[in-house]
Amino acid sequence: MKISYNWIKQFIHIDWEAEKIGELLTDLGLEVEGIQNFESVRGGLDGVVIGKVLSCETHANADRLKVAQVDIGSGDPVQIVCGAPNVEKGQMVPVATIGTTLYDKEGSPWKIKKGKIRGEHSEGMICAEDELGLSNNHDGIMVLNTRLKPGSPLTKHIEIESDQIFEIGLTPNRADAMSHYGVARDLKAGLLQKGISLELITPSTTSFNIENRTNKVDVVVEDKDRCPRYCGITISGLTVTDSPKWIQNRLKAIGLTPINNVVDCTNFVLHELGQPLHAFDADKISGKTIHVKTYPTGTKFTTLDEVVRELHEEDLMICDDEKPMCIAGVFGGIESGVSNETTSIFLESAYFDPISIRKTAKRHALNTDASFRFERGIDPNITEYAMIRAALLIQEVAGGHITSDLIDIYSNRIEDHQVFLNFHRTNQLIGEEIPRETIKSILTSLDIKINNVTEAGLGMTIPAFRNDVTRDADVIEEILRVYGYNNVKFTEKLNASVSSTNKVEDHQVKNKISSLLTALGFDEMLSNSLTSPKYTELTSMFDSKHNVTILNPLSNDLSVMRQSLLFNGLEAISYNYNRKANRLKLFEFGKTYHQYKKGREEFKHLSLVVSGNRNDESWTKGNEKSEFFYFKGIIQAVFERLGIQYDSEKGLNNDVFSEGLTMLKNNKTLVEFGVINKKITQHFDIEEETFYADFSWDSILEVIPSTSIQFTEIPKFPKVRRDLALLLDESVGFNELREAAKKAERNLLKDIILFDVYTGKNLPKGKKSYALSFTLQDERKTLTDKQIDKIMKKLQQSFEREFGATLR
């Protein structure tokens, strides 16, 4: 938001340096992000002087050019070649001397240089108004008063306004500061804390007078909930033309383009007082009646930008007896606006429901100065005053008379609200005891009325324009920002208590796994919890009825909360593939959100997505692709790092994975992982095989062992490895063999590895061959051949008994 320092000075008389004012505003919570200089004429006409045309002859080589001798007060006259048709001997004209920088209509600078035009020397430029940036007039050179002295700077005779503009990063809750008046009000409170008491000056409206009632417009508010207050008045006999320079300069300083005197006055008051206004051409109001209501969905309406929009049944409209004229609080219509032919206007000033305005603005993708303020909540009690201020201003610059009664329909009165402030709680939150008189002084300076004072605290009335101050904590924040955060003292001693607990801390576990995964070549990603509802159509695993839907989404692609981290991961994979990345390993900690009959629930997850090459391209290695068992090894590494031993694993049967596994402990699913179905990856234009793992982080936290790490001595006695080649039914899995082996030998069997699988020729139908290695070790002594053979025989018999296995 741009704030003009000169404009602020009209509310509060102060002569501080702009930088010092910026520091105070930042301390008050209105963060000044930058201060820029503004000049009503760019470049400030530096180098432009008064010149007297001593002679003017037609150019020998160009009929349309003239060669003038001009006295610019530097001694000898200078010769200037000029193409203007109105240059004549004896005129006083503005001359841009050699080295002067001027600006074109796009704002690009160009420098005046000495040169030759059709063989004649030219040492400067006689300027038109548009070339100096004074207006858009290019009918000829600018002719000045003959009494002026040649050589004197043009700035002595033409008023140029210089200003300093504060760029304020306004937070959404500070609707009260969305105007120069609101900023000046905060500035007054801040100055008072520094011992500087200044009066806050507001524009006078005492001269307002209803001259006659010959152009009455009736108002009917049909939707009182969306429009609690509506004011209007008619002004007739005005003339629409350009605004005076002082209004144009004010608007240009804050980045607005002047349009005409009526529209400029409404924009001026909007930025002055924070009240949006709208002027209708009164002669275009059918039936001389304004209706504030909604229209059926699908109704066509053309806005000022000449875009035909389809209205929604909840869009509040300003209408006449026949048609809609304006999207209330958002954007005007093309058929009812003020034009150069307008002679009478109906001036609107209203308070619209913030939620309604925000929804309408988002629906139509419109962000105007009016909607920006209405959707945050303006002051409902300034509506009438701002309209009178604008009416007087319009009369001042456009003429005209007030030709109707002032209409003020205040159906649903917005009351000030009551808050009690406890002194003890104030001291607790601030960490320092602020004198009670200082607290009362600060609150009074912010227009907060103190109703009663007790030993316990203050009873207050908060004005309606402070819609963000509803609790005692909000009042304390107001006190503290004006008192000054920098004025709160720090104690020299910091007290803290350290508690001993065996509780598993979520953030510590996340850090541990993040370190592991980054060491394995993964990159962490962070994605939006909002996603597209279309993703639930890609698989039957997710039901659209469980979507948590956003009431006022930024777009249709971000209209629901995600039910899975899968699609965020695939979006990231696709994005990186499109940018020529070919080794993708991503992980994300995030939440999923679900709508059930019993209410909404959210769950914590860890997702892994792997696609493409296993390692970066190198001459020492081939481009080895990531594959299922490599991905499974990463899953097992995560469990090993957490100290979790899962009970079982089983195959997955859903349309997300073409093949996959789920690992469980205590009948709780810890992780589901596998190869993503090609139907899903093709939707994201991913051609490579892609792997996905979804850890249920809530379940992980429940089963993590809480015992501390115990260290054991490294065994002194050697390990022994023995291998078996077994002929098995194809239905038997390695996990079943491993569990059977552990049951057969619990003490000395340390590890089992499947190192070869064979199916094919020379095997009976329905059979396969597994080659297993068994690692045996006794930590107290060296194993003998007799002990080893006994264990291997026991394992062999177990396999024969349970699985019908035979040795190959």
Side-chain angles (χ1 to χ4, degrees):
M1 183 180 72
K2 295 182 185 295
I3 293 293
S4 159
Y5 192 18
N6 287 350
W7 209 336
I8 288 290
K9 289 177 181 178
Q10 292 188 339
F11 289 102
I12 186 168
H13 293 158
I14 187 169
D15 57 359
W16 281 16
E17 295 291 329
E19 288 74 15
K20 194 174 179 182
I21 291 292
E23 291 174 4
L24 179 55
L25 288 174
T26 299
D27 290 342
L28 288 167
L30 302 177
E31 183 182 0
V32 175
E33 298 174 341
I35 303 174
Q36 296 178 342
N37 292 321
F38 168 81
E39 292 174 321
S40 57
V41 177
R42 191 163 186 183
L45 300 181
D46 186 29
V48 181
V49 299
I50 305 296
K52 182 176 182 179
V53 181
L54 301 178
S55 67
C56 184
E57 304 292 338
T58 302
H59 195 295
N61 300 318
D63 293 340
R64 293 188 178 184
L65 297 180
K66 295 181 180 179
V67 179
Q69 301 296 322
V70 184
D71 178 9
I72 58 171
S74 60
D76 296 333
V78 296
Q79 179 171 293
I80 298 175
V81 178
C82 178
N86 64 327
V87 61
E88 295 178 0
K89 177 181 177 181
Q91 290 176 334
M92 289 294 184
V93 293
V95 177
T97 57
I98 300 299
T100 299
T101 299
L102 298 178
Y103 297 84
D104 61 22
K105 292 181 180 180
E106 286 72 38
S108 301
W110 57 285
K111 187 173 286 189
I112 302 296
K113 299 178 180 178
K114 185 176 181 179
K116 261 187 180 183
I117 301 177
R118 293 289 185 93
E120 294 286 351
H121 290 284
S122 184
E123 301 181 42
M125 176 177 171
I126 302 175
C127 302
E129 289 186 17
D130 68 330
E131 292 166 336
L132 296 174
L134 297 175
S135 75
N136 293 323
N137 185 358
H138 194 69
D139 293 338
I141 61 166
M142 185 178 180
V143 180
L144 305 172
N145 194 309
T146 55
R147 297 177 184 175
L148 300 181
K149 182 182 178 182
S152 61
L154 184 61
T155 52
K156 285 188 176 182
H157 311 288
I158 292 181
E159 185 178 350
I160 298 176
E161 182 172 353
S162 297
D163 200 353
Q164 289 169 300
I165 308 303
F166 301 103
E167 186 68 47
I168 294 179
L170 193 68
T171 53
N173 64 307
R174 291 302 309 278
D176 62 297
M178 293 188 296
S179 65
H180 286 77
Y181 175 67
V183 173
R185 180 170 49 207
D186 258 23
L187 194 57
K188 175 180 177 290
L191 290 168
L192 188 61
Q193 275 305 110
K194 296 184 178 295
I196 303 172
S197 180
L198 296 176
E199 180 185 0
L200 186 62
I201 304 166
T202 55
S204 173
T205 57
T206 56
S207 61
F208 178 76
N209 178 47
I210 299 173
E211 300 181 40
N212 60 66
R213 295 167 176 82
T214 57
N215 198 3
K216 181 183 176 183
V217 174
D218 294 322
V219 174
V220 180
V221 178
E222 300 181 22
D223 195 328
K224 295 179 174 60
D225 292 330
R226 291 187 175 91
C227 180
R229 188 176 190 184
Y230 191 94
C231 296
I233 201 166
T234 305
I235 306 174
S236 303
L238 51 76
T239 302
V240 177
T241 183
D242 290 338
S243 296
K245 289 294 182 184
W246 68 270
I247 288 184
Q248 291 193 33
N249 290 340
R250 284 282 181 269
L251 297 179
K252 287 178 181 178
I254 58 174
L256 298 184
T257 302
I259 299 172
N260 60 54
N261 49 3
V262 173
V263 175
D264 291 350
C265 285
T266 61
N267 287 333
F268 183 93
V269 174
L270 180 149
H271 289 276
E272 179 184 53
L273 301 177
Q275 171 66 54
L277 302 127
H278 191 74
F280 299 93
D281 188 324
D283 295 330
K284 297 177 181 177
I285 300 175
S286 299
K288 291 296 181 181
T289 303
I290 294 286
H291 298 269
V292 184
K293 62 180 184 178
T294 57
Y295 262 76
T297 296
T299 302
K300 298 287 194 296
F301 178 68
T302 306
T303 46
L304 280 170
D305 55 0
E306 300 182 359
V307 175
V308 178
R309 303 178 189 275
E310 282 196 9
L311 301 181
H312 187 274
E313 61 184 6
E314 294 183 357
D315 293 338
L316 188 66
M317 304 297 295
I318 309 300
C319 320
D320 60 20
D321 283 347
E322 298 178 355
K323 61 187 180 302
M325 300 190 297
C326 173
I327 303 177
V330 180
F331 210 24
I334 195 168
E335 296 181 1
S336 60
V338 174
S339 65
N340 291 337
E341 289 73 39
T342 299
T343 58
S344 61
I345 64 167
F346 177 78
L347 184 63
E348 168 196 278
S349 179
Y351 178 90
F352 299 117
D353 176 59
I355 295 175
S356 172
I357 297 300
R358 178 168 178 78
K359 287 182 177 180
T360 296
K362 291 299 178 186
R363 262 193 296 269
H364 297 288
L366 290 169
N367 183 21
T368 62
D369 284 339
S371 68
F372 177 81
R373 286 158 177 79
F374 277 127
E375 67 190 23
R376 285 162 175 76
I378 62 171
D379 183 0
N381 297 320
I382 205 174
T383 309
E384 181 183 10
Y385 168 70
M387 185 184 67
I388 294 174
R389 162 64 172 158
L392 290 173
L393 194 58
I394 290 170
Q395 283 186 288
E396 178 185 338
V397 302
H401 309 285
I402 307 297
T403 54
S404 74
D405 286 321
L406 190 154
I407 300 168
D408 186 2
I409 302 174
Y410 203 167
S411 308
N412 297 331
R413 185 166 291 276
I414 299 169
E415 302 290 347
D416 298 340
H417 44 281
Q418 310 296 317
V419 174
F420 181 79
L421 178 67
N422 183 282
F423 288 132
H424 178 67
R425 176 166 165 77
T426 302
N427 297 336
Q428 273 188 322
L429 286 182
I430 293 176
E432 180 178 310
E433 184 172 350
I434 297 177
R436 296 183 180 182
E437 288 302 316
T438 301
I439 290 176
K440 290 191 284 186
S441 173
I442 290 172
L443 294 175
T444 303
S445 69
L446 294 172
D447 291 347
I448 295 175
K449 182 181 178 182
I450 298 174
N451 301 323
N452 56 74
V453 183
T454 66
E455 281 300 312
L458 302 174
M460 300 164 295
T461 298
I462 310 297
F465 68 80
R466 289 311 306 269
N467 53 36
D468 61 318
V469 181
T470 58
R471 309 166 298 162
D472 59 344
D474 299 327
V475 177
I476 294 169
E477 182 183 356
E478 291 298 296
I479 294 168
L480 188 53
R481 73 179 181 84
V482 177
Y483 179 73
Y485 291 98
N486 295 332
N487 293 327
V488 177
K489 298 180 178 63
F490 290 94
T491 58
E492 295 182 358
K493 183 172 68 172
L494 178 65
N495 297 322
S497 58
V498 179
S499 60
S500 177
T501 177
N502 291 325
K503 180 183 175 183
V504 176
E505 296 292 346
D506 186 9
H507 69 279
Q508 293 179 342
V509 181
K510 285 180 178 177
N511 287 340
K512 185 187 297 184
I513 296 305
S514 295
S515 298
L516 169 69
L517 291 172
T518 51
L520 292 172
F522 278 75
D523 294 303
E524 185 170 10
M525 59 175 281
L526 181 63
S527 60
N528 199 336
S529 297
L530 300 175
T531 189
S532 170
K534 296 179 180 178
Y535 287 156
T536 56
E537 301 171 5
L538 299 177
T539 168
S540 60
M541 189 173 175
F542 307 112
D543 194 330
S544 60
K545 70 181 180 181
H546 296 315
N547 280 336
V548 178
T549 305
I550 305 302
L551 293 178
N552 54 339
L554 295 173
S555 70
N556 291 332
D557 289 335
L558 298 173
S559 59
V560 299
M561 305 288 281
R562 64 188 176 195
Q563 290 191 52
S564 171
L565 275 66
L566 167 64
F567 305 113
N568 300 89
L570 293 177
E571 286 176 342
I573 292 290
S574 176
Y575 181 89
N576 282 277
Y577 268 137
N578 290 336
R579 282 150 185 81
K580 306 306 179 184
N582 57 12
R583 185 195 64 82
L584 298 172
K585 301 178 185 178
L586 305 173
F587 75 95
E588 178 179 14
F589 289 99
K591 292 182 178 181
T592 60
Y593 308 86
H594 311 265
Q595 178 74 58
Y596 299 122
K597 288 183 179 179
K598 60 182 179 181
R600 299 186 183 118
E601 291 190 35
E602 58 184 68
F603 304 102
K604 297 177 182 177
H605 293 262
L606 163 63
S607 70
L608 309 183
V609 193
V610 171
S611 187
N613 295 338
R614 184 184 299 190
N615 300 300
D616 289 327
E617 189 174 351
S618 170
W619 67 273
T620 61
K621 303 173 184 176
N623 291 332
E624 189 177 1
K625 297 289 185 182
S626 298
E627 41 84 27
F628 182 84
F629 290 103
Y630 165 71
F631 191 56
K632 182 180 179 181
I634 294 171
I635 309 297
Q636 291 174 327
V638 171
F639 284 134
E640 185 176 340
R641 185 67 183 88
L642 294 172
I644 296 174
Q645 292 184 346
Y646 55 89
D647 296 335
S648 60
E649 62 181 46
K650 61 181 182 180
L652 281 173
N653 184 23
N654 59 52
D655 58 356
V656 170
F657 300 102
S658 57
E659 56 178 313
L661 293 173
T662 180
M663 294 178 173
L664 304 97
K665 185 176 180 65
N666 302 332
N667 292 323
K668 289 184 178 179
T669 298
L670 300 183
V671 64
E672 293 181 345
F673 67 96
V675 183
I676 302 175
N677 196 312
K678 284 190 177 295
K679 174 187 171 184
I680 297 176
T681 56
Q682 285 172 356
H683 179 82
F684 294 88
D685 297 324
I686 301 172
E687 297 179 359
E688 295 283 348
E689 192 173 49
T690 303
F691 304 88
Y692 174 71
D694 180 17
F695 288 84
S696 172
W697 198 250
D698 295 303
S699 300
I700 294 286
L701 294 176
E702 288 180 19
V703 300
I704 289 179
S706 57
T707 54
S708 57
I709 297 174
Q710 295 181 351
F711 295 92
T712 57
E713 184 180 357
I714 297 174
K716 298 177 181 179
F717 302 98
K719 296 178 182 178
V720 176
R721 170 174 166 163
R722 290 289 186 271
D723 298 338
L724 288 178
L726 301 175
L727 189 65
L728 300 156
D729 291 338
E730 285 186 342
S731 60
V732 178
F734 170 67
N735 191 53
E736 296 172 89
L737 296 172
R738 181 172 57 189
E739 294 301 319
K742 287 181 179 179
K743 289 179 184 178
E745 178 53 56
R746 297 180 181 275
N747 298 322
L748 301 181
L749 181 60
K750 300 301 180 182
D751 195 15
I752 309 165
I753 296 174
L754 173 64
F755 65 88
D756 187 44
V757 178
Y758 176 73
T759 58
K761 293 181 180 180
N762 303 323
L763 291 182
K765 186 177 181 181
K767 297 291 184 178
K768 63 182 176 182
S769 173
Y770 271 8
L772 304 173
S773 74
F774 302 87
T775 301
L776 307 173
Q777 186 181 38
D778 190 333
E779 296 175 359
R780 298 169 298 174
K781 61 183 180 182
T782 301
L783 289 172
T784 64
D785 289 340
K786 187 176 180 180
Q787 289 175 303
I788 295 169
D789 292 341
K790 183 179 179 181
I791 293 170
M792 295 305 297
K793 187 173 182 180
K794 191 195 305 184
L795 292 173
Q796 180 182 338
Q797 290 173 346
S798 175
F799 296 149
E800 290 172 350
R801 184 173 60 253
E802 294 190 34
F803 307 109
T806 58
L807 290 179
R808 287 194 67 197

